[in-house]
Amino acid sequence: MPADSSPRFAGEPTAHSAPGAPLTAPSPQDRVPGRQDRGPAVSAVEVRRSSRRRRTVSAYREGDRTVVLIPARMSEAEERRWVTVMLDKLAAQESKRMLGDAELAARAELLSGQYLEGRARPATVRWVTNQNTRWGSCTPAEGSIRLSHRLQGMPEYVVDYVLLHELAHLLVPGHGPRFWRLLEAYPRTERARGYLEGVVAAGRLPHLSGSGNERA
């Protein structure tokens, strides 16, 4: 497989539940008994509704769970959508505590062991700043994997997916059925691909400035 032969794919990997500050500070009246929501996160998600909360949506880590604060008037469909949005934002916020090359290599070893039976063993894994048309690339002959710096700050499950994608290329060149079977074990492949496709699509839109506050 020639150097830098990975596809210009959009998408990928697993959010870790490290404690983090809330995206917006919760007020005392928001801390009311809520229900458990089976959202698309690795840790438990608790949704708390408040009649005093009108439009803002907040999320923060509380121990081994994620708390999402929403207005009481929200529909179930809106709740599901905002849970997904806020989980992604928390994950992106946490991933800004950036992995260096050494940590990235350690992450690759962990992912290989978890999803590829440890068979993918890269010689080097590093960030690069010269990949603006692809998210990652690998050179199987050298055992090298490179991830675009544009992934930095994205949710960790996205970074993990890209990393796992390139690890799979060390075992199977190209994108045939055998390659995609290697990624079937990773539970967030479709979500990560969708995230990256959204990033690509958003890059084609005019820039819209905002206040940074999340509104329902």
Side-chain angles (χ1 to χ4, degrees):
M1 178 178 180
D4 294 324
S5 57
S6 296
R8 292 169 174 79
F9 60 96
E12 311 158 83
T14 302
H16 308 294
S17 301
L23 295 178
T24 60
S27 56
Q29 61 265 29
D30 287 318
R31 296 180 179 276
V32 296
R35 61 184 177 76
Q36 295 296 319
D37 183 272
R38 294 183 180 180
V42 174
S43 59
V45 176
E46 180 181 344
V47 175
R48 297 179 184 176
R49 290 174 174 262
S50 172
S51 59
R52 299 185 184 184
R53 181 173 286 265
R54 299 300 181 187
R55 295 185 63 82
T56 60
V57 179
S58 305
Y60 61 95
R61 305 295 193 199
E62 188 176 82
D64 61 353
R65 64 181 170 175
T66 302
V67 177
V68 181
L69 309 171
I70 65 173
R73 65 176 177 78
M74 266 194 184
S75 68
E76 292 293 317
E78 288 176 317
E79 175 186 316
R80 288 192 296 271
R81 180 173 71 86
W82 279 103
V83 165
T84 298
V85 168
M86 299 310 283
L87 287 173
D88 279 347
K89 283 186 171 292
L90 272 180
Q93 183 184 71
E94 291 164 357
S95 71
K96 288 179 181 178
R97 300 191 261 288
M98 224 173 53
L99 296 175
D101 288 350
E103 291 84 2
L104 199 61
R107 188 71 193 153
E109 182 179 358
L110 182 65
L111 290 168
S112 177
Q114 186 171 1
Y115 298 108
L116 301 174
E117 300 177 338
R119 293 181 294 131
R121 299 179 180 179
T124 60
V125 183
R126 59 191 176 92
W127 296 105
V128 294
T129 59
N130 61 352
Q131 291 190 158
N132 294 317
T133 61
R134 60 181 70 190
W135 298 113
S137 63
C138 75
T139 306
E142 299 174 358
S144 61
I145 288 177
R146 299 163 297 281
L147 296 192
S148 172
H149 72 288
R150 295 179 300 141
L151 291 165
Q152 293 170 349
M154 291 188 187
E156 289 182 7
Y157 75 88
V158 177
V159 179
D160 279 357
Y161 167 75
V162 178
L163 190 51
L164 188 61
H165 186 110
E166 301 308 332
L167 286 167
H169 274 309
L170 294 179
L171 304 176
V172 179
H175 293 91
R178 183 165 162 248
F179 172 83
W180 291 111
R181 279 197 297 272
L182 291 176
L183 296 182
E184 286 178 355
Y186 184 67
R188 309 186 91 179
T189 290
E190 291 307 314
R191 186 177 174 203
R193 288 175 62 84
Y195 184 98
L196 290 177
E197 287 165 3
V199 170
V200 172
R204 301 190 182 108
L205 298 175
H207 176 69
L208 299 177
S209 61
S211 64
N213 294 322
E214 295 301 331
R215 297 281 177 174

